[in-house]
Amino acid sequence: MRQAILGRRIVSVTLGKTDFIDDPAALKQHLPGRQIEAVERYGKFMLLWLSAVNGKARVIANGDAAPASLLVHLGMTGQIAPSPAGQPLEKHTHVCMLLDDGRELRYTDARRFGRIAYLTKALLAEELAGFGADPLEVSKKEFANRVCGRRARIKALLLDQGVLRGVGNIYADESLWRARIHPARLGTKLSRKDAEGLRRALQEILRKAIVLRGSSISDFLDAAGEPGEYQRHHRAYGREGKKCYRCKTAIRRAIVAGRSSYFCPKCQPAPRGFVALPLPQRTKKRKR
DNA sequence: CTCGATCCCTGGACGC
DNA sequence: TGCGTCCAGGGATCGA
């Protein structure tokens, strides 16, 4: 996104469905004339830093012209990328931002689980206040403190954006597999050593996944319109019934923290009394 | 404090 | 082939 849009000025905004946008009118009102001065990530959010607006004294009096930000969350199916303005609109395109170089920055999202918000500095700070540590930056001590001693299941803790910001279902399962920790174990039952193994696994997996531009399961595309490649490296996620890469035991699935969770029942010993879902009878053929 | 249930939403896979 | 049902999971919210 930096490569694609840094330094561009937004000329105008066109909106489609807006039920996932905090205040749609604010986009039309405040984005035109703003320059995109920085692009940052905060957990699962993308943050576009917008310049102040020049020469509108009346608006400045309201504080409306101060530097501000556009917060973007892709949810499950969101995509944001620039395209030539003449190009026909993809289905489910809900935001078009015309840029000063003639291209359009477009946001498409079939399921509209994403979120877009125009926020002043103060509102943004409020918005980001409740989030946890960045998983790539978190220290050994802080990670252990955030996880050990909690009564929730480790899978729920990994997915909790207030504990760590940015981890989703795929990378939670992948890191637990790598660290040989069962998703249903409780935070309180993890040793400091367990926690450190998990932190290491999580960081290694995230770094590699970033290099490979993420996991494209069905529809994820990056800002260059390219799918990621990390799905080829998945060791647990989506592999129910397939052999564990370490021990050849069939990977199992269970609902943990309300989400499908994949794990090796041998490498990742379950807590007492835990029951995985029965392996589905194979009616259809599988590949890969 | 933590849980499960429910809702939002659409496309794709699946069963019949 | 066509149609109904389920599932994917990011998050918010509610009640137990």
Side-chain angles (χ1 to χ4, degrees):
Chain A
M1 281 295 285
R2 266 182 206 133
Q3 282 188 23
I5 62 163
L6 200 59
R8 298 274 58 83
R9 197 172 293 276
I10 298 169
V11 175
S12 60
V13 176
T14 314
L15 301 177
K17 290 187 181 174
T18 58
D19 55 354
F20 65 101
I21 300 174
D22 282 35
D23 179 359
L27 264 57
K28 296 200 119 175
Q29 188 183 346
H30 297 298
L31 294 187
R34 306 264 189 173
Q35 194 173 13
I36 301 163
E37 294 188 321
V39 178
E40 286 175 6
R41 177 186 67 76
Y42 193 89
K44 295 175 182 176
F45 290 106
M46 189 183 309
L47 221 46
L48 308 190
W49 285 100
L50 306 171
S51 66
V53 176
N54 300 317
K56 292 192 177 176
R58 190 179 50 79
V59 192
I60 288 169
N62 297 335
D64 282 353
S69 63
L70 191 68
L71 187 72
V72 180
H73 193 307
L74 299 179
M76 287 295 299
T77 51
Q79 290 175 22
I80 187 164
S83 49
Q87 198 139 313
L89 290 185
E90 293 286 320
K91 206 174 175 189
H92 306 300
T93 299
H94 302 305
V95 180
C96 288
M97 290 172 270
L98 179 63
L99 304 177
D100 60 357
D101 62 1
R103 293 177 304 158
E104 263 181 3
L105 183 58
R106 294 177 179 174
Y107 180 85
T108 69
D109 189 350
R111 284 155 76 179
R112 307 203 298 285
F113 277 15
R115 180 181 170 201
I116 293 183
Y118 168 86
L119 296 170
T120 61
K121 269 189 169 172
L123 286 177
L124 178 70
E126 221 172 280
E127 198 63 49
L128 300 184
F131 286 84
D134 188 302
L136 290 167
E137 309 283 333
V138 68
S139 69
K140 171 178 178 175
K141 189 174 173 185
E142 191 185 2
F143 185 83
N145 287 345
R146 284 175 176 273
V147 157
C148 303
R150 293 286 303 270
R151 286 182 286 171
R153 303 185 189 280
I154 186 60
K155 172 75 181 260
L157 294 171
L158 287 175
L159 293 180
D160 184 339
Q161 301 300 297
V163 174
L164 291 175
R165 56 181 196 258
V167 180
N169 203 37
I170 293 174
Y171 300 110
D173 279 7
E174 291 300 308
S175 56
L176 288 167
W177 180 87
R178 181 152 181 162
R180 306 180 192 230
I181 296 170
H182 193 283
R185 290 184 61 194
L186 305 185
T188 39
K189 298 285 188 178
L190 293 184
S191 66
R192 308 290 284 194
K193 203 175 161 189
D194 287 334
E196 179 55 8
L198 178 56
R199 183 185 74 103
R200 288 253 163 95
L202 177 59
Q203 294 190 344
E204 284 161 10
I205 280 165
L206 289 177
R207 284 194 202 103
K208 174 112 189 202
I210 287 168
V211 169
L212 294 179
R213 305 186 322 283
S215 302
S216 293
I217 300 300
S218 56
D219 38 24
F220 168 71
L221 299 176
D222 68 16
E226 297 291 329
E229 286 176 9
Y230 192 73
Q231 66 280 8
R232 297 185 199 173
H233 296 259
H234 290 175
R235 293 292 179 261
Y237 181 81
R239 299 195 66 247
E240 185 178 27
K242 294 174 186 168
K243 288 178 180 169
C244 172
Y245 277 85
R246 279 189 300 248
C247 75
K248 310 231 188 305
T249 303
I251 295 290
R252 301 296 293 268
R253 184 171 74 96
I255 304 299
V256 181
R259 298 287 175 233
S260 260
S261 301
Y262 301 87
F263 57 93
C264 171
K266 190 170 173 192
C267 297
Q268 298 166 265
R272 285 253 164 262
F274 180 85
V275 194
L277 293 169
L279 281 173
Q281 298 310 306
R282 45 177 163 116
T283 50
K284 71 259 176 176
K285 68 289 175 182
R286 78 198 23 105
K287 263 302 176 77
R288 289 159 58 77

